[in-house]
Amino acid sequence: FLNALAAWRRQQGLVATSVNWGPWLDGGMASDDAKRGDRLAARGIHGLNPAQALAALWQLLPQAVVAPAVVEMDWARHQDY
């Protein structure tokens, strides 16, 4: 819904960005379930620490990107999975 809302707002000439966050460390669903975090890490998806996530957000806000993804990713591991 939020991605569609952001796209609609952009079509109307309004400002909108819907960030698709990867897992965060020290909070969120992946940290609540150690097994989920381990499964994601096995696929090359690592948790973002809050400083990384906020730095990414500050880089995204001035850009005209509608629905970016922010993920700490090991692409080689993900591709092998």
Side-chain angles (χ1 to χ4, degrees), residues 6-68:
W8 179 80
R9 285 183 54 86
R10 290 288 179 142
Q11 290 172 349
Q12 304 304 308
L14 302 170
V15 177
T17 300
S18 174
V19 180
N20 297 283
W21 293 104
W24 284 45
L25 296 173
D26 303 325
M29 293 186 311
S31 67
D32 291 343
D33 180 354
K35 290 179 185 176
R36 182 179 295 139
D38 292 344
R39 286 191 306 269
L40 291 172
R43 295 178 179 172
I45 303 169
H46 303 289
L48 296 163
N49 70 48
Q52 284 177 298
L54 291 176
L57 179 62
W58 286 114
Q59 289 178 348
L60 289 171
L61 287 177
Q63 298 181 33
V65 182
V66 175

